[in-house]
Amino acid sequence: KALALIALAFILFGWIMDRYGMIPALIVMFLVGSRAGHEFKLIEVVILTVLMSTFAVALFVYGLGLPYQLIQGWN
């Protein structure tokens, strides 16, 4: 079950990133991927999602200058 959820999280990330942007894709990836663990505490997952998404956007979009759309339709 855990391996399937991790694989699903990556597949959904790619599909959502192309259609809706980086931030929605990261949110879904973290939420689905966190279900693969034995313990799931929503507040911890939400905090992790916010922190890791902020870090990813800062690193890839602003730090490296990669042309990812954060949310589809926003520039």
Side-chain angles (χ1 to χ4, degrees):
K1 175 184 170 189
L3 185 58
L5 284 171
I6 297 296
L8 178 63
F10 286 127
I11 291 167
L12 287 173
F13 176 81
W15 188 81
I16 293 171
M17 176 100 168
D18 187 43
R19 288 160 181 78
Y20 300 105
M22 185 176 190
I23 294 174
L26 286 168
I27 291 169
V28 170
M29 182 184 70
F30 285 121
L31 290 175
V32 172
S34 67
R35 297 296 295 163
H38 294 281
E39 295 181 21
F40 178 83
K41 296 181 181 166
L42 184 60
I43 189 69
E44 291 176 2
V45 173
V46 169
I47 292 169
L48 175 69
T49 300
V50 169
L51 292 174
M52 293 301 292
S53 296
T54 303
F55 176 74
V57 168
L59 177 66
F60 294 115
V61 176
Y62 298 111
L64 296 174
L66 297 177
Y68 294 138
Q69 273 196 307
L70 299 180
I71 297 176
Q72 192 70 13
W74 289 16
N75 290 327

